[in-house]
Amino acid sequence: FQQAKNEAGLDQYQARDWRAWYAHITLSMATHALLVVAKSLATQANPASRRTC
């Protein structure tokens, strides 16, 4: 959830209606899932990027 707040804009919305809030949350979480999958595929393609200092 914390990563979604930082990367997908989950914390930048003020709820005025439950439908709008639900749509925003759904799109933010879907975007976060897409970013996680893309990052996972990128690290599988380039094993050297997995190393940490």
Side-chain angles (χ1 to χ4, degrees), residues 2-47:
Q2 188 65 30
Q3 285 180 335
K5 282 177 61 178
N6 294 336
E7 295 178 5
L10 191 57
D11 63 343
Q12 299 179 13
Y13 184 76
Q14 295 178 1
R16 292 183 182 91
D17 183 32
W18 72 272
R19 290 181 189 128
W21 175 84
Y22 186 77
H24 179 74
I25 295 297
T26 303
L27 289 173
S28 293
M29 294 307 287
T31 302
H32 178 63
L34 179 69
L35 291 172
V36 168
V37 169
K39 183 177 179 181
S40 174
L41 292 174
T43 57
Q44 286 179 357
N46 187 6

